[in-house]
Amino acid sequence: SSGINAEWPLRPGVHCQTIRYNARVRAGRGFTLDELKAAGVNRKQALSIGIAVDHRRKNRSQESLQANVLRLKEYKSRLILFPRKAAKPKKGDSTQAEIDVATQLTGPVLPIVQQYADTTARVITDEEKKASAFQTMRMYKANVRLVGIREKRAKEAAEDDGLGSKKKAAKAKKAKK
């Protein structure tokens, strides 16, 4: 077993690491402090209401941060907090009407659903058939490699005022002598 109970507490959606699996979203260890702050949840309060916290994790993309903030907000909207003392409910506790309607959740808490891009098959165009990916990449690499020498030659041509290369200019000087 992985040691992580997938059903409780609430865990963030994170992308798998390797190239093969990085399109897949799985349950992470805990929400980052930035995600909790954006959702308006205190770190200590998160632990008490069933939200996992991982202070070491970093948000590397704005999209995943927003997705996890939405996940937290959805959880908070469904959450019914019972007051510790029924006679003295505190701020943030649920009303008596909500408590009466409450039922215990069985199964995973907000399960992570894989989202796939909707792709449809289409006919390959003549332009795509004629294009060569290998040739395109080869030309791109050559252009990147030769950019410096091409700039140097263009600069020399501009300085020579139409005489051509430096060698031709040197030969013209010798001929005059």
Side-chain angles (χ1 to χ4, degrees):
S1 123
S2 65
I4 294 176
N5 182 356
E7 295 184 6
W8 191 85
L10 180 70
R11 298 193 181 274
V14 297
H15 286 273
C16 297
Q17 291 182 341
T18 60
I19 293 171
R20 181 175 181 180
Y21 296 109
N22 66 5
R24 187 174 166 272
V25 179
R26 64 172 177 83
R29 183 177 178 86
F31 290 92
T32 63
L33 301 178
D34 291 336
E35 290 166 349
L36 293 171
K37 189 174 185 180
V41 180
N42 186 359
R43 177 184 181 172
K44 300 264 183 180
Q45 182 195 15
L47 295 169
S48 70
I49 61 173
I51 298 173
V53 179
D54 186 4
H55 65 90
R56 296 166 296 190
R57 207 178 115 236
K58 294 176 187 157
N59 290 107
R60 291 181 172 82
S61 73
Q62 197 65 28
E63 291 84 10
S64 64
L65 176 112
Q66 290 300 322
N68 284 327
V69 168
L70 286 174
R71 190 168 162 77
L72 281 168
K73 287 182 178 178
E74 175 70 21
Y75 179 75
K76 277 180 57 180
S77 70
R78 293 184 183 187
L79 187 67
I80 297 175
L81 281 179
F82 284 66
R84 290 189 178 187
K85 294 182 181 178
K88 293 183 183 177
K90 290 189 174 181
K91 180 185 171 193
D93 289 340
S94 298
T95 62
Q96 189 61 39
E98 289 175 331
I99 292 170
D100 293 339
V101 181
T103 58
Q104 181 66 44
L105 177 72
T106 55
V109 180
L110 291 177
I112 295 170
V113 179
Q114 300 298 326
Q115 295 181 357
Y116 298 105
D118 195 22
T119 57
T120 56
R122 63 178 178 84
V123 178
I124 299 171
T125 63
D126 291 333
E127 185 179 309
E128 290 173 339
K129 285 180 184 176
K130 290 177 186 174
S132 168
F134 175 78
Q135 185 66 25
T136 305
M137 290 299 296
R138 180 117 179 194
M139 287 304 297
Y140 178 78
K141 287 178 185 177
N143 290 338
V144 168
R145 189 178 72 242
L146 298 172
V147 70
I149 192 99
R150 287 178 179 161
E151 286 178 3
K152 182 181 172 187
R153 286 180 184 163
K155 186 178 176 184
E156 287 175 359
E159 288 175 358
D160 291 339
D161 297 326
L163 292 175
S165 68
K166 288 184 178 180
K167 288 183 180 178
K168 287 183 182 177
K171 282 184 182 179
K173 248 186 186 178
K174 279 189 178 181
K176 286 183 182 177
K177 287 183 181 180

